Amino acid sequence: GQQLNQSPQSMFIQEGEDVSMNCTSSSIFNTWLWYKQDPGEGPVLLIALYKAGELTSNGRLTAQFGITRKDSFLNISASIPSDVGIYFCAGQLSGRDDKIIFGKGTRLHILP
Amino acid sequence: EPEVTQTPSHQVTQMGQEVILRCVPISNHLYFYWYRQILGQKVEFLVSFYNNEISEKSEIFDDQFSVERPDGSNFTLKIRSTKLEDSAMYFCASSTLSGTYTDTQYFGPGTRLTVL
């Protein structure tokens, strides 16, 4: 089945640093999504990308949908303690009612 | 802000028992989903449901699983005879139409199922 390769698996950064994580796929996706999951909670949508090449921001978060529709990155600027958590990239192959295929996640740790 | 709710938050059951996990999707949503996440792993799709029938299901969603929308507000996942490997977080999600497109899926907080 379709798989998303997400990297890095985990990151340890200092508070205030910028963060970058990315996702690649062997399949073309029509939609790329970035979710954050806090311990014991469900995934929360951060950014949705619908067009190849699209660059979208949500506060300190910026994400881009790759031109080839096979990759995406998420940047977090000036990290703060509440950014700690697991970030999942995810994609949908066809319509937005299609199942979401998740990557394995990037666990972000912030050092004081 | 409307949100998806799930009950119970934690369910412990004996192997072989039936469990029903409950979800209340966002009220104007039309598309419903179940996903699961085994501890420490990625979130995996189980089933999608629209217009009172299953739209798509994954290999995980075998004959032991069933879904139902018994009334206008609840969406349930039943596991007939639980196995140890069914232990996981189960997430419900829902989405609706936004113009000509369906909106993104919003996830509930999950039910942690522990099978002993």
Side-chain angles (χ1 to χ4, degrees):
Chain A
Q2 299 85 11
Q3 293 226 10
L4 294 179
N5 300 307
Q6 188 171 351
S7 62
Q9 205 169 3
S10 65
M11 302 181 74
F12 290 81
I13 62 166
Q14 296 284 339
E15 184 179 345
E17 285 185 8
D18 296 342
V19 173
S20 186
M21 56 192 81
N22 64 72
C23 218
T24 59
S25 168
S26 56
S27 305
I28 290 174
F29 285 94
N30 269 329
T31 302
W32 279 89
L33 307 161
W34 285 92
Y35 284 87
K36 181 182 183 229
Q37 186 179 31
D38 291 327
E41 297 187 16
V44 174
L45 182 67
L46 299 173
I47 291 180
L49 302 157
Y50 302 116
K51 295 179 186 174
E54 179 181 355
L55 182 72
T56 296
S57 293
N58 178 8
R60 292 179 297 107
L61 277 58
T62 302
Q64 183 156 35
F65 191 157
I67 288 288
T68 63
R69 294 199 280 153
K70 292 184 178 181
D71 62 295
S72 177
F73 71 74
L74 174 72
N75 288 341
I76 306 172
S77 63
S79 57
I80 60 177
S82 61
D83 290 335
V84 165
I86 304 175
Y87 292 80
F88 290 99
C89 67
Q92 291 172 294
L93 289 170
S94 58
R96 298 184 207 181
D97 56 343
D98 193 16
K99 63 181 181 288
I100 293 175
I101 298 166
F102 284 83
K104 292 187 177 180
T106 294
R107 187 179 290 273
L108 181 62
H109 306 265
I110 297 181
L111 306 170
Chain B
E1 185 175 321
E3 56 184 20
V4 177
T5 59
Q6 291 185 242
T7 54
S9 56
H10 192 186
Q11 173 91 48
V12 181
T13 189
Q14 294 287 331
M15 189 170 59
Q17 294 295 304
E18 174 183 289
V19 294
I20 297 177
L21 309 182
R22 290 183 165 80
C23 169
V24 178
I26 295 172
S27 64
N28 65 338
H29 282 192
L30 303 172
Y31 300 83
F32 313 112
Y33 312 82
W34 283 101
Y35 293 79
R36 80 167 186 194
Q37 185 181 31
I38 294 171
L39 185 64
Q41 299 187 23
K42 65 179 180 179
V43 179
E44 300 174 289
F45 168 78
L46 291 179
V47 66
S48 58
F49 190 87
Y50 170 69
N51 202 25
N52 281 320
E53 59 183 26
I54 290 174
S55 304
E56 186 177 0
K57 58 184 180 179
S58 71
E59 303 171 338
I60 304 167
F61 194 88
D62 61 23
D63 291 344
Q64 294 299 314
F65 291 86
S66 62
V67 289
E68 194 178 28
R69 187 153 162 82
D71 53 44
S73 60
N74 290 283
F75 180 52
T76 62
L77 174 70
K78 182 194 292 186
I79 309 175
R80 260 181 278 282
S81 177
T82 49
K83 304 187 285 285
L84 294 176
E85 54 265 37
D86 293 328
S87 295
M89 282 287 284
Y90 287 81
F91 295 106
C92 174
S94 69
S95 65
T96 190
L97 288 171
S98 177
T100 55
Y101 300 101
T102 48
D103 203 352
T104 47
Q105 296 171 31
Y106 293 90
F107 284 75
T111 292
R112 180 174 296 284
L113 177 64
T114 302
V115 182
L116 303 175

